[in-house]
Amino acid sequence: ANGHCRVPKEYEKNKELGNWVSTMRTYQKEHDKKQNPVWKERFAQLEALGFEWEGKNSWQQRFEELCEYKEANGHCRVPK
């Protein structure tokens, strides 16, 4: 229901999923050059889903959220 695969490592609704996503990003960096067919297929499945290998830093994430808020509300006066 979020429309993306950017699951933060500290995902409160599902901590196991957040940890798994973080682990997949780490595995991809470690196994990418080894061309292991099992991992290659797993990475391909994740990419087909729209998985993002580079996690976004909190500044970039919040900036994008602010852009979405402005698009929806016409201003950047976000209530506390």
Side-chain angles (χ1 to χ4, degrees):
N2 292 313
H4 61 78
C5 295
R6 294 184 309 268
V7 181
K9 184 175 181 179
E10 306 280 330
Y11 186 48
E12 289 298 322
K13 292 182 182 178
N14 188 338
K15 292 182 183 194
E16 290 178 0
L17 177 61
N19 285 329
W20 183 81
V21 166
S22 178
T23 299
M24 290 301 100
R25 287 184 177 129
T26 300
Y27 280 8
Q28 191 268 345
K29 290 176 187 173
E30 293 174 359
H31 295 279
D32 190 37
K33 295 179 177 72
K34 295 180 183 174
Q35 300 299 316
N36 180 318
V38 173
W39 282 107
K40 202 171 174 181
E41 175 61 27
R42 289 176 180 178
F43 298 152
Q45 289 176 350
L46 288 169
E47 287 171 2
L49 190 61
F51 190 87
E52 295 181 15
W53 294 108
E54 296 296 324
K56 295 191 177 186
N57 65 37
S58 59
W59 189 93
Q60 183 67 33
Q61 182 178 348
R62 296 296 176 238
F63 179 75
E64 291 177 10
E65 290 171 357
L66 179 61
C67 291
E68 291 171 8
Y69 181 89
K70 183 178 181 186
E71 179 73 25
N73 297 285
H75 59 80
C76 293
R77 297 181 305 273
V78 181
K80 288 184 179 183

